[in-house]
């Protein structure tokens, strides 16, 4: 019986350690230029990668916790270093909900694809792709639902907020998803090898 308690403590400690380490990486990426990768005329962000990686390595609770910290970091950054469109991230629904959901759903996407294909690289690739798109579509979808007109006004644009947000989803979201797919698939393979070794 003591062994079970000891094992549970180790698992909880390991999960807490993963949350702490990957949250620190997420915070560092969001507070420095390291969180952005120039791809042609656009910048792909990699700030969501620790959330997806934490989810596939340690499960949905760890993914959700890292997603929450990523969202809180976005909220704090919007308040402390505002830009003309930071008001959208001052809303906790926009800043937190997509990031927490990404952490939970990425785990289940990974497990589902892994069960169906038995291929770790493919499972990681698809999870990175879908996890990243969940973040992009979740944030931009909420911006559209809650702030479309105000967002367009802040940018000094006229016309459809939907078209502008869709353009952002395509120009930034697709490169981000490809980067996430490549990184997460590599991490998934390395993690599997480490577990087996």
């Amino acid at each position: 019986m003591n062994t079970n308690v000891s094992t549970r403590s180790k698992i909880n400690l390991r999960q807490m350690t993963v949350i702490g380490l990957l949250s620190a990486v997420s915070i560092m990426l969001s507070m420095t230029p390291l969180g952005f990768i120039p791809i042609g005329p656009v910048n792909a962000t990699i700030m969501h990668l620790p959330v997806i990686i934490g989810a596939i390595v340690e499960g949905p609770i760890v993914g959700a916790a890292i997603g929450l910290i990523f969202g809180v970091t976005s909220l704090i950054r919007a308040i402390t270093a505002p830009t003309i469109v930071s008001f959208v991230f001052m809303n906790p629904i926009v800043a937190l909900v997509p990031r927490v959901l990404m952490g939970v759903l990425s785990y289940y996407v990974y497990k589902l694809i892994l069960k169906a294909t038995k291929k770790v690289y493919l499972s990681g690739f698809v999870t990175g792709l879908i996890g990243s798109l969940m973040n992009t579509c979740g944030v931009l979808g909420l911006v559209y639902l809650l702030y479309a007109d105000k967002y367009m006004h802040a940018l000094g644009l006229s016309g459809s907020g939907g078209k502008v947000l869709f353009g952002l989803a395509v120009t930034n979201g697709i490169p981000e998803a490809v980067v996430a797919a490549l990184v997460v698939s590599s991490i998934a393979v390395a993690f599997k090898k480490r577990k087996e070794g």
Side-chain angles (χ1 to χ4, degrees), residues 11-156:
I11 291 170
N12 289 336
L13 180 60
R14 187 176 85 185
Q15 288 177 331
M16 287 172 50
T17 303
V18 169
I19 290 168
L21 288 172
L22 289 176
S23 294
V25 170
S26 184
I27 291 166
M28 182 208 51
L29 291 173
S30 69
M31 300 295 181
T32 67
L34 297 174
F36 298 94
I37 298 173
I39 299 179
V42 299
N43 283 321
T45 184
I46 57 172
M47 293 182 285
H48 55 289
L49 289 179
V51 180
I52 300 168
I53 291 165
I56 67 167
V57 169
E58 288 296 333
I61 293 171
V62 171
I66 300 166
L68 178 65
I69 292 176
F70 171 31
V72 168
T73 303
S74 296
L75 186 68
I76 291 169
R77 188 171 169 88
I79 294 166
T80 60
T83 66
I84 57 170
V85 292
S86 288
F87 63 88
V88 300
F89 291 106
M90 291 179 191
N91 182 336
I93 294 170
V94 178
L96 303 177
V97 172
R99 280 67 188 268
V100 171
L101 287 176
M102 173 182 48
V104 173
L105 296 175
S106 292
Y107 170 79
Y108 292 107
V109 168
Y110 180 75
K111 289 297 182 184
L112 180 69
I113 302 297
L114 186 61
K115 185 177 180 181
T117 66
K118 309 284 190 254
K119 298 190 184 304
V120 174
Y121 184 86
L122 179 62
S123 302
F125 189 90
V126 172
T127 302
L129 199 70
I130 291 175
S132 180
L133 290 173
M134 278 191 277
N135 180 56
T136 300
C137 294
V139 169
L140 293 179
L142 286 170
V143 170
Y144 177 73
L145 290 173
L146 301 172
Y147 298 113
D149 292 336
K150 189 175 178 182
Y151 189 82
M152 292 293 287
H153 181 72
L155 293 174

